[in-house]
Amino acid sequence: MNVYTSEKIRNVILLGHGGCGKTTLVEAMAYTTGIIKRQGKVEEGNTISDYDKEEQKRLFSISTTVVPIDYEGVKINFLDTPGYFDFVGEVEEALAVADAAVIVVSAKAGVEVGAIKAWEYCEKFNLPRIFFVTDMDVENANFSQVVDQLRELYGHKIAPFHLPIKEDNKFVGFVNVVKMAGRKFTTGSNYVECEIPDYCKETLSKFREDLLEAVAETSEELMDKYFSGEEFTQEEISHALRTNVIDGSIVPVLMGSGINAQGTTMLMQAIVKYFPDPTKKTIKGKNTSNGEVFEANYDDKKPFTARVFKTIVDPFIGKFSLLKVCSGVLKGDTPLYNTNKDTDEKVNKIYILRGKEQIEVNELHAGDIGALAKLNVTATGDTLATKAVPVEYDPIEVSVPYTYMRYKTKNKSDEDKVSQALAKLMDEDLTLKVVNDVENRQTLLYGIGDQHLEVVVSKLLSRYKVDIEVTKPRVPYRETIRKKVSVRGKHKKQSGGHGQYGDVVIEFEPSGDLEKPYIFEERIFGGAVPKNYFPAVEKGLQESVLKGPMAGYPVVGIKATLVDGSYHPVDSSEMAFKLATILAFKQGFMEASPVLLEPIVSMRVVVPDKYTGDIMGDLNKRRGRVLGMNPVNGKQEILADVPLAELYGYSTDLRSMTGGIGEFSYEFARYEQAPADVQQKVIEENAKEEENEE
């Protein structure tokens, strides 16, 4: 592939709802430009983007794929992202390196939640954007309705650059609103000029007027010209549109059909003409050697720096670190230094990835996206620079996973293989997390949603040939007591030779401190228990609080005072006193009004106004206490305290209640006494689990 200088590069992320046609559109553009001779289909599992087995099996994108396409000497790096919300981490990684966005909307389905979320991402990352309305070939396609929906959401920023031309209810061409000319498709995206049909003229004059008004607002000179009734030149219109699209005050709407590769040329023309090259964007890092700000700004005259935004660890194609060059030029002999890890790395070869295809190149200029193979320590979010100018960029922020399942390896001998395979998957996916919950004897797998975790289990089997089983996780309850009791524990055993003798009287009472498992004190008079056995008594307590007598959960908030006991000069031992303490603990705990404590989390749910009633009703059903509401970016933030046990499956439920637009997060707040019915249910469930394990 050719070497492209910074001004000849466009980095464009494709966003939109799951199944709206992003992958098909990229495939159509690859076909239009001659990269592929035959256009692949998602249903046939032969597209450039969806090359992973899981994607081919499920018929949707799971990972972001880079597809570079040369259009008239400009390299457009398309970042084809998943539309399903469980794979949001992939989208966030791509957003970190995109300079502009194409939001794909199906003319059949209209503006879906995924398109609305895509707009929110563009606002957050300050990206210029174009809407591309695909599926225009479908019978029920309605371009005007999509434009109306977009106008309703985003006002007069929305500027349709096209109008459809139909014959016998079939999509055959379009009117170019900017040039006021008709276009009729011949093959694929090629067209011939044609007359503008009469039925288009009324809508066309309205769209044209909106467009000219937007152009007039870009400068006083053009505003004067507009009010005096003078015509704008084509050059004036183009220049003004480019300025407005880059600053986001105009959002063009284009159209076509991905499956028939119609409208792809117009989209690529618009990308080259209206979207900024990387040099129009800014990026700053910190020089770690002197603490100064390093203004990289995609200037290829400055020292080399790059940011790794994605890692691919594939058993077949190996490990690749995908990066965007932030300054300078990356060459085969560039000395690499990982600033985050304070380690040198070596450039073997420089690649451009197009799907799974690896294309070797000699160099990458600032603003370009490429890949390096087999870097030793480099991970997603790391900065590569030179030792002379060790710059570090901010890490990539991805969504926190809140959905989790307990997992077990089906085959015990595979445990090492499973942990190695999961480590590789976590290198690729920053929203995947493994937590070893020693206290509750379980290993937890965290992800964005149930579908995300399902894909992970499937990948472990298909890629790494290891099988795991996921089940409902154990909730980290605690056990404590509510009243004071005094109990005796005696351990006495006589068998040939030395016997065993330990005898303790311990007072158990609530300590009032739920942060600590226990407080141990002694009030022994007259040497009833010699001092050298006190540590053994405490050891018995230490072991006892790990697994409470009620339901096997850790014990907290107990004060144990050793007040009396007896010993035998020959038969007493540390072990005997430890065992006597364990007996006293079990008996005393069950006599001291034991209760289960459940974890309560502080929860934040953000939804549009119309869903607040449903959300609050649902939180009440989950025994939640709604604490208040705050307006946030045109939505409502609901704050509530909810028992953690009631949040199992919440991510799926929230999506179905809000059509996917709702978001939630939570953090641990405190422990509270669980209601009697909950306690009873937990005790029964744990007794059953213990039986099964035996």
Side-chain angles (χ1 to χ4, degrees):
M1 201 170 191
N2 298 336
V3 169
Y4 295 83
T5 52
S6 307
E7 68 282 356
K8 292 287 184 191
I9 293 164
R10 304 287 184 275
N11 296 311
V12 180
I13 185 170
L14 288 176
L15 298 167
H17 200 76
C20 70
K22 298 180 290 297
T23 298
T24 303
L25 179 59
V26 174
E27 195 73 10
M29 288 187 282
Y31 177 66
T32 301
T33 52
I35 288 169
I36 49 175
K37 296 288 172 264
R38 178 175 173 265
Q39 195 175 332
K41 290 181 178 173
V42 171
E43 299 74 40
E44 292 171 11
N46 57 358
T47 60
I48 297 171
S49 291
D50 292 354
Y51 62 86
D52 185 88
K53 277 184 184 171
E54 286 300 316
E55 295 174 316
Q56 291 166 356
K57 181 171 96 181
R58 294 165 193 274
L59 306 181
F60 60 72
S61 300
I62 289 168
S63 303
T64 289
T65 312
V66 185
V67 183
I69 289 175
D70 181 307
Y71 180 74
E72 295 187 345
V74 173
K75 181 188 182 194
I76 308 171
N77 288 315
F78 284 108
L79 296 143
D80 180 17
T81 66
Y84 290 100
F85 305 131
D86 276 27
F87 310 103
V88 64
E90 295 284 332
V91 179
E92 289 163 329
E93 287 173 354
L95 283 162
V97 295
D99 301 321
V102 171
I103 302 175
V104 182
V105 176
S106 162
K108 187 181 175 185
V111 180
E112 296 171 277
V113 170
I116 295 168
K117 280 203 166 183
W119 179 280
E120 289 170 2
Y121 290 138
C122 293
E123 291 288 291
K124 181 181 173 183
F125 287 85
N126 196 22
L127 296 179
R129 66 217 75 155
I130 285 174
F131 279 101
F132 186 84
V133 180
T134 188
D135 292 342
M136 287 300 296
D137 57 299
V138 176
E139 202 178 316
N140 305 329
N142 192 331
F143 181 74
S144 297
Q145 192 177 314
V146 172
V147 171
D148 290 345
Q149 286 176 322
L150 291 172
R151 277 266 165 89
E152 204 176 304
L153 285 163
Y154 309 118
H156 289 287
K157 284 182 173 187
I158 301 299
F161 278 23
H162 292 165
L163 259 177
I165 295 176
K166 292 190 172 186
E167 283 175 9
D168 299 330
N169 219 19
K170 277 190 177 167
F171 176 60
V172 295
F174 64 98
V175 180
N176 183 323
V177 179
V178 181
K179 293 185 176 170
M180 293 296 278
R183 319 281 196 214
K184 197 170 182 181
F185 293 119
T186 50
T187 54
S189 211
N190 299 322
Y191 60 79
V192 291
E193 295 210 5
C194 69
E195 289 292 316
I196 297 172
D198 289 342
Y199 66 82
C200 288
K201 285 178 180 169
E202 191 183 329
T203 313
L204 178 61
S205 62
K206 179 175 165 288
F207 284 175
R208 177 75 179 172
E209 193 53 40
D210 289 343
L211 199 66
L212 295 178
E213 206 174 297
V215 167
E217 284 176 11
T218 56
S219 75
E220 279 183 34
E221 189 188 330
L222 292 179
M223 187 65 91
D224 292 341
K225 203 169 176 181
Y226 177 71
F227 280 124
S228 62
E230 282 182 67
E231 288 284 317
F232 295 144
T233 65
Q234 199 55 48
E235 202 177 312
E236 284 171 333
I237 292 173
S238 283
H239 178 74
L241 286 176
R242 182 159 204 266
T243 307
N244 280 28
V245 172
I246 286 176
D247 73 14
S249 54
I250 282 186
V251 178
V253 186
L254 279 61
M255 68 166 76
S257 159
I259 208 84
N260 295 332
Q262 293 170 325
T264 47
T265 306
M266 284 56 80
L267 176 58
M268 288 185 286
Q269 279 171 353
I271 286 168
V272 170
K273 194 171 182 180
Y274 298 119
F275 278 167
D277 65 69
T279 64
K280 306 289 186 294
K281 307 287 279 184
T282 60
I283 184 166
K284 294 174 186 174
K286 189 176 97 177
N287 186 327
T288 57
S289 66
N290 56 21
E292 288 176 7
V293 172
F294 179 80
E295 307 252 358
N297 300 342
Y298 305 106
D299 182 343
D300 57 13
K301 305 287 183 289
K302 290 186 175 178
F304 165 76
T305 65
R307 193 180 186 203
V308 176
F309 70 94
K310 181 172 170 56
T311 305
I312 297 172
V313 186
D314 191 285
F316 306 108
I317 66 172
K319 181 185 172 185
F320 283 95
S321 301
L322 275 69
L323 52 84
K324 184 182 188 184
V325 181
C326 301
S327 61
V329 180
L330 174 62
K331 296 182 180 177
D333 59 356
T334 304
L336 282 192
Y337 173 68
N338 183 320
T339 320
N340 302 74
K341 307 282 189 341
D342 187 16
T343 306
D344 292 315
E345 289 276 26
K346 193 173 183 304
V347 178
N348 291 313
K349 289 174 179 174
I350 304 167
Y351 295 98
I352 297 291
L353 296 188
R354 182 183 284 139
K356 66 178 174 185
E357 184 190 359
Q358 302 144 34
I359 305 158
E360 205 178 318
V361 291
N362 295 326
E363 58 188 51
L364 287 177
H365 282 249
D368 208 349
I369 287 173
L372 295 173
K374 298 174 185 163
L375 295 181
N376 291 325
V377 297
T378 300
T380 302
D382 285 356
T383 303
L384 296 172
T386 59
K387 253 189 175 157
V389 188
V391 172
E392 192 176 311
Y393 295 106
D394 288 340
I396 290 171
E397 283 181 30
V398 296
S399 296
V400 177
Y402 289 104
T403 300
Y404 62 99
M405 299 286 273
R406 176 186 196 173
Y407 82 85
K408 280 182 183 169
T409 308
K410 282 192 181 173
N411 186 346
K412 273 264 187 254
S413 61
D414 280 348
E415 280 182 5
D416 281 350
K417 279 162 80 178
V418 168
S419 57
Q420 284 167 19
L422 280 169
K424 285 176 182 170
L425 290 181
M426 286 189 288
D427 282 346
E428 283 192 298
D429 183 352
L430 299 185
T431 60
L432 183 65
K433 208 168 72 171
V434 172
V435 173
N436 189 12
D437 177 8
V438 180
E439 212 172 68
N440 291 291
R441 305 177 297 288
Q442 60 181 356
T443 319
L444 302 173
L445 193 60
Y446 277 79
I448 296 295
D450 296 332
Q451 194 176 43
H452 184 198
L453 295 179
E454 190 191 307
V455 165
V456 168
V457 173
S458 194
K459 272 186 184 177
L460 286 171
L461 187 57
S462 62
R463 269 195 202 180
Y464 300 104
K465 308 293 177 272
V466 287
D467 208 356
I468 66 167
E469 185 179 20
V470 290
T471 51
K472 190 175 176 177
R474 254 170 91 92
V475 176
Y477 292 104
R478 297 279 186 268
E479 299 182 21
T480 194
I481 55 173
R482 286 182 302 177
K483 72 177 191 188
K484 184 174 180 176
V485 294
S486 178
V487 289
R488 171 166 246 122
K490 188 180 272 194
H491 177 72
K492 189 177 179 185
K493 214 171 188 183
Q494 193 64 49
S495 57
H498 275 316
Q500 291 180 38
Y501 185 88
D503 174 28
V504 291
V505 178
I506 300 177
E507 280 180 0
F508 293 102
E509 61 191 302
S511 71
D513 183 357
L514 296 179
E515 298 292 310
K516 287 182 187 162
Y518 69 91
I519 293 168
F520 173 60
E521 289 179 0
E522 51 77 24
R523 267 200 329 265
I524 292 286
F525 297 106
V529 176
K531 275 187 179 168
N532 56 318
Y533 292 128
F534 293 173
V537 174
E538 184 164 7
K539 199 153 195 316
L541 280 172
Q542 260 173 13
E543 281 184 25
S544 297
V545 295
L546 295 176
K547 198 174 174 188
M550 258 184 107
Y553 289 100
V555 172
V556 292
I558 275 193
K559 183 179 177 186
T561 309
L562 178 63
V563 292
D564 202 358
S566 61
Y567 75 103
H568 188 281
V570 177
D571 292 347
S572 284
S573 66
E574 287 188 4
M575 178 57 78
F577 272 97
K578 185 178 97 168
L579 293 171
T581 306
I582 290 170
L583 288 172
F585 180 87
K586 279 181 182 165
Q587 184 190 336
F589 190 92
M590 294 311 285
E591 288 175 11
S593 294
V595 289
L596 266 192
L597 300 173
E598 63 177 350
I600 304 293
V601 298
S602 293
M603 192 163 172
R604 175 179 173 269
V605 187
V606 180
V607 290
D609 265 342
K610 61 180 176 181
Y611 298 115
T612 52
D614 291 348
I615 298 302
M616 292 202 293
D618 178 70
L619 290 174
N620 285 332
K621 275 187 212 155
R622 294 173 190 270
R623 301 190 286 119
R625 288 193 295 273
V626 175
L627 305 175
M629 275 173 34
N630 306 310
V632 176
N633 300 329
K635 293 180 182 176
Q636 285 294 341
E637 173 190 63
I638 300 165
L639 302 172
D641 280 354
V642 189
L644 180 65
E646 301 292 339
L647 290 184
Y648 183 70
Y650 188 69
S651 113
T652 305
D653 294 346
L654 179 65
R655 275 182 207 166
S656 64
M657 280 188 286
T658 64
I661 197 88
E663 291 174 355
F664 77 102
S665 59
Y666 62 79
E667 56 184 27
F668 171 75
R670 64 189 172 280
Y671 275 93
E672 277 181 14
Q673 187 176 323
D677 59 329
V678 172
Q679 294 193 45
Q680 192 53 42
K681 194 174 158 197
V682 172
I683 291 166
E684 284 167 12
E685 279 175 5
N686 278 288
K688 218 178 273 177
E689 199 175 306
E690 294 274 326
E691 263 176 50
N692 293 341
E693 280 179 11
E694 281 166 23

